[in-house]
Amino acid sequence: MLSSRISGFHKKSVQDRLEIIAEKTDLTKDEIKILKKYGSLDEKTADTMIENVISTFDIPLGIATNFTINDEEFFIPMATEESSVVAAASNAAKIARDCGGFYVNSLGPKMIAQIQLVNVKSPSQVKFKILNEKEYLLKKANDQDPILKKFGGGAEDLEVRVLETPLGYMVVTHLIVDTRDAMGANSVNTMAEVLAPEIEKITGGRVYLRILSNLADKRLVRAYTRIAPSAIGGEEVIEGILNAYTFASCDPYRAATHNKGIMNGISAVAIATGNDFRALEAGAHAYASTYGQYTSLTRWEKDTEGYLVGFLELPIAVGIIGGATAVHPVAKIALKILGAETGPKLAEVIGAVGLAQNLAAVRALATEGIQKGHMSLHAKNIAVMAGASETEVDEVADKMVEGNQVNMEKAKQILEEIRR
Ligand code: MEV
């Protein structure tokens, strides 16, 4: 019987780990060969990034073109396994660029760390006591990270929230830290841990959690675009887009998909640049629920001249230093291609990509539907899986799309016909 308990697995070499897993899960020689093949992320680097490494995992890196953001040109590196995402972003950016492109701004790289004080009897008194020591606590936090302070960042403010919970009052201190060019998770988590015993001393209470919040709503990015009716296919297309947006704004079932489309773009750039895309996903979806009901992260409107106006606002906590951005060789090159010299600039570019991705999705959904775009690449994948050679792939894929039947059986049938 297979047991997943392997003593000391983490201490073994990559090769030894692979051998153990191969033996236990009956991997073939060819499968092992695939796992032993490394790309630009080599075995040694991968082994320093996470635990229990046995190989690396490649996904395609594409470049979205046509982007102008705040009147500057950008090539956007996107790492994603989903077909159509890069093409859709490029298409939407092309539509937008003829009308001036995207405009962005942001609140700056301010991260929140939470310190949870529990079982509080007199929350107002405790809140006052903590705020009374604000300067002392900020200094303590900054002493922890003098480098951040030196570069103009550091702990800037303290806010205290009272929660009424089933376990009594909790008093939650928010430490607000300017993390400069870093995403900042490590800095703010360390600061929160340093402040925890101080807060216990000041209040006489008990702290449990000390951790950042991914609802980074002091780190908002806004992206904007204004599109002429002629650039997007006319007034009827704009009506369709407004109906698509309004659906998402009123219905959480639709909003989830609408926002997923936005995150297709945002997460792809985050992955390409070595940023924590789960943090962005968490922040985005939490921010979409700010007013109680989960809703669309974008807004689409028609202005007085009949132009389509798009607006996206969400937290984007990314950096250009530290973490995988610093060690993953492809992430470093992606940052160079993108040309974002600061963390906030990267965040703003990512905001524009999110808006472009949404524009592409609502435009396609309100007109021909998204399957047409999706299907041609999907059909190529199926054709390859059915055994089509390089010279056969396009013909098999085209025939499947034409016949509106994209599946393995059809691919095999077409392949047989061609070969006959
Ligand atoms: C697919 O990955 C994303 C879309 O479903 C987004 C949307 O529906 O708005 C096309």
Side-chain angles (χ1 to χ4, degrees):
M1 248 259 281
L2 179 75
S3 164
S4 64
R5 170 80 196 123
I6 304 171
S7 163
F9 190 64
H10 66 287
K11 290 190 202 138
K12 300 200 184 295
S13 72
V14 174
Q15 292 306 322
D16 287 351
R17 279 185 218 125
L18 178 56
E19 253 170 51
I20 294 170
I21 295 300
E23 200 232 64
K24 283 185 176 284
T25 61
D26 294 331
L27 296 186
T28 64
K29 275 202 179 116
D30 285 346
E31 286 163 344
I32 294 169
K33 206 166 140 202
I34 289 171
L35 291 176
K36 280 190 173 169
K37 206 166 125 200
Y38 285 84
S40 33
L41 181 59
D42 61 75
E43 181 186 311
K44 219 166 126 209
T45 313
D47 200 30
T48 61
M49 288 175 75
I50 65 164
E51 308 73 34
N52 295 0
V53 167
I54 61 160
S55 182
T56 55
F57 186 98
D58 295 335
I59 55 170
L61 176 73
I63 300 289
T65 53
N66 306 321
F67 271 83
T68 57
I69 303 170
N70 287 355
D71 300 322
E72 218 185 303
E73 299 284 333
F74 287 92
F75 287 120
I76 312 284
M78 302 177 88
T80 179
E81 89 300 342
E82 183 171 333
S83 64
S84 305
V85 167
V86 180
S90 305
N91 284 341
K94 186 153 172 268
I95 292 170
R97 79 181 280 120
D98 294 336
C99 308
F102 299 96
Y103 290 91
V104 288
N105 61 44
S106 60
L107 297 183
K110 293 178 207 286
M111 206 63 185
I112 299 168
Q114 297 191 293
I115 302 155
Q116 173 206 26
L117 194 71
V118 300
N119 203 9
V120 176
K121 296 290 171 265
S122 173
S124 302
Q125 187 183 47
V126 163
K127 177 174 177 173
F128 183 80
K129 279 184 182 174
I130 296 171
L131 286 172
N132 219 28
E133 298 297 335
K134 178 168 146 175
E135 292 315 317
Y136 169 76
L137 290 169
L138 290 180
K139 184 172 177 319
K140 270 269 161 200
N142 282 323
D143 286 349
Q144 186 55 40
D145 199 336
I147 308 277
L148 192 55
K149 191 81 192 145
K150 192 174 136 213
F151 282 102
E156 284 186 349
D157 203 2
L158 213 66
E159 290 173 359
V160 179
R161 294 166 57 239
V162 173
L163 305 182
E164 222 179 314
T165 80
L167 296 181
Y169 287 113
M170 293 181 187
V171 173
V172 181
T173 303
H174 281 194
L175 178 69
I176 294 137
V177 184
D178 182 324
T179 61
R180 297 281 95 188
D181 285 331
M183 188 273 192
N186 279 331
S187 314
V188 303
N189 288 342
T190 309
M191 284 182 181
E193 289 190 2
V194 165
L195 291 198
E198 300 294 334
I199 289 179
E200 285 185 335
K201 250 188 268 161
I202 292 165
T203 62
R206 169 79 208 264
V207 166
Y208 277 103
L209 270 57
R210 304 87 83 207
I211 183 77
L212 65 77
S213 169
N214 286 122
L215 178 50
D217 62 359
K218 297 202 182 287
R219 212 167 175 169
L220 296 179
V221 170
R222 286 97 178 219
Y224 164 90
T225 191
R226 180 174 181 265
I227 315 263
S230 58
I232 190 111
E235 280 170 28
E236 209 175 306
V237 176
I238 293 185
E239 279 317 305
I241 290 175
L242 294 181
N243 273 286
Y245 153 66
T246 307
F247 182 12
S249 74
C250 296
D251 176 22
Y253 285 90
R254 173 58 206 151
T257 322
H258 180 96
N259 291 341
K260 187 271 183 183
I262 295 168
M263 299 313 289
N264 274 346
I266 289 183
S267 288
V269 185
I271 294 169
T273 55
N275 276 286
D276 181 347
F277 63 97
R278 287 89 53 217
L280 300 188
E281 298 277 351
H285 295 292
Y287 192 65
S289 309
T290 301
Y291 299 108
Q293 177 173 317
Y294 183 83
T295 187
S296 163
L297 283 163
T298 50
R299 280 189 73 88
W300 291 97
E301 300 166 357
K302 191 159 70 168
D303 73 6
T304 47
E305 289 168 66
Y307 278 53
L308 178 70
V309 170
F311 178 77
L312 168 65
E313 181 180 82
L314 80 170
I316 300 189
V318 290
I320 59 162
I321 55 170
T325 46
V327 288
H328 198 299
V330 179
K332 286 194 258 185
I333 298 168
L335 278 171
K336 182 173 174 188
I337 293 171
L338 200 130
E341 316 84 18
T342 66
K345 189 160 174 185
L346 174 62
E348 290 177 355
V349 167
I350 290 178
V353 176
L355 186 58
Q357 209 73 52
N358 185 233
L359 173 61
V362 287
R363 194 195 66 81
L365 287 165
T367 54
E368 81 247 12
I370 56 139
Q371 281 312 84
K372 201 172 151 219
H374 262 280
M375 272 309 160
S376 61
L377 266 181
H378 179 56
K380 281 188 191 175
N381 285 336
I382 301 273
V384 172
M385 282 192 279
S389 70
E390 228 172 272
T391 51
E392 294 165 332
V393 169
D394 283 347
E395 192 178 344
V396 176
D398 288 349
K399 286 207 160 115
M400 281 195 288
V401 173
E402 266 165 38
N404 230 350
Q405 260 186 296
V406 182
N407 57 53
M408 187 63 86
E409 216 172 284
K410 190 73 191 165
K412 283 187 177 152
Q413 186 197 326
I414 296 171
L415 207 52
E416 257 176 42
E417 281 163 20
I418 293 174
R419 288 179 182 169
R420 240 189 271 136

